[in-house]
Amino acid sequence: MQRQLTLDLGTPPPATFDNFFATGNHELVTRLRELEGALAAGPLADRTFYVWGEPGSGRSHLLHALVHESHGAARFLSPQSALNAFGFDPRVTLYAVDDCDRLSAAQQIALFNLFNEVRATPAAALVAAGNAAPIALDVRDDLRTRLGWGLVFHLQPLTDESKAAVLRHAAHERGLVLADDVPDYLLRRYRRDMPSLMALLDELDRFSLETKRAVNTNLIRDVLQTRSLPFPDDPYASPNDLSGDLLTPGSGFIPSDNDPTRFK
């Protein structure tokens, strides 16, 4: 029972616009934050958005924030959504569609139809996200064309300084105190992509609560050893193990595709 209580205390906070670091992406964040209000004020010329970026750029975070902070009816869609969820509903004002590049053939057709319905409905908006620019997106030609019709934003990657700031902010939201050298240590000695770093932060949070230890470099080393992750000083670890964008299958740190805390 005590262990379950400890794990509950370490639950990561939801994705919001406030805990998204907008470095280089201020225009997009501002437009998404104000989208619902602009729709209500109407008519709004720009009601369809396509957001793309590299793994860890935060596109899923922004979509979850859009839905989470909506005051009306909003719907989040992804490859895991049922096909009928892609149907147009006049009660829904905001549609957020993640991982367009991974949609099934049937889902792509449904999204194409949904896009057309939204374009024909002044009170509705659609924000889609994928891993490449529309012209390079691996989807149906007609859907690729539609996604390129509206506003297209390329999420700019975070600098190392911004990544360190994100880690400190995320730790603060969890009530977690990091030693001053922890963010820099993680960036130098562990994978540098945000999904891996945020997953490790979640694990450090849980381990710290369970063991009642401060989060410092010694704790990090113990967590990496305990969880059988590539150890930073392991001479046999490959470069991708330590600093690449790839997550190791079976490591226990692979985030779910649409977990809002993973900065995908």
Side-chain angles (χ1 to χ4, degrees), residues 239-252:
N240 276 343
D241 287 335
L242 302 181
S243 61
D245 289 335
L246 299 178
L247 298 177
T248 304
S251 68

Side-chain angles (χ1 to χ4, degrees), residues 20-87:
F20 179 83
F21 272 63
T23 305
N25 301 296
H26 296 283
E27 181 184 355
L28 170 61
V29 174
T30 298
R31 282 181 176 270
L32 294 182
R33 188 192 289 269
E34 298 175 351
L35 181 56
E36 187 178 34
L39 278 175
L44 185 63
D46 299 315
R47 293 183 293 106
T48 59
F49 296 72
Y50 178 73
V51 181
W52 67 281
E54 294 70 23
S57 58
R59 56 185 191 266
S60 295
H61 183 114
L62 285 175
L63 294 186
H64 279 282
L66 180 67
V67 173
H68 177 76
E69 299 194 8
S70 169
H71 297 94
R75 180 180 297 174
F76 183 89
L77 299 167
S78 75
Q80 288 73 43
S81 301
L83 184 60
N84 60 10
F86 287 81

Side-chain angles (χ1 to χ4, degrees), residues 27 40 56 74 90 97 124 131 134 137-138 173 175 189 227 229 231 255 259:
E27 181 184 355
V97 189
N131 67 347
L137 199 62
D138 185 19
E173 285 191 313
R189 311 299 293 276
R227 301 305 192 250
L229 288 177
F231 189 64
D259 189 319

Side-chain angles (χ1 to χ4, degrees), residues 20 36 68 70 87 92 103 105 130 141 153 163 166 173 207 213:
F20 179 83
E36 187 178 34
H68 177 76
S70 169
V92 176
L103 297 177
D141 289 340
F153 288 89
K163 289 179 181 180
V166 169
E173 285 191 313
F207 196 76
R213 292 172 56 190

Side-chain angles (χ1 to χ4, degrees), residues 144-178:
R144 185 186 305 113
T145 300
R146 291 295 188 277
L147 293 173
W149 274 3
L151 296 177
V152 177
F153 288 89
H154 179 204
L155 281 172
Q156 300 302 309
L158 293 174
T159 63
D160 283 355
E161 291 77 10
S162 295
K163 289 179 181 180
V166 169
L167 288 170
R168 293 189 184 96
H169 183 82
H172 177 74
E173 285 191 313
R174 292 159 172 77
L176 187 64
V177 178
L178 300 181

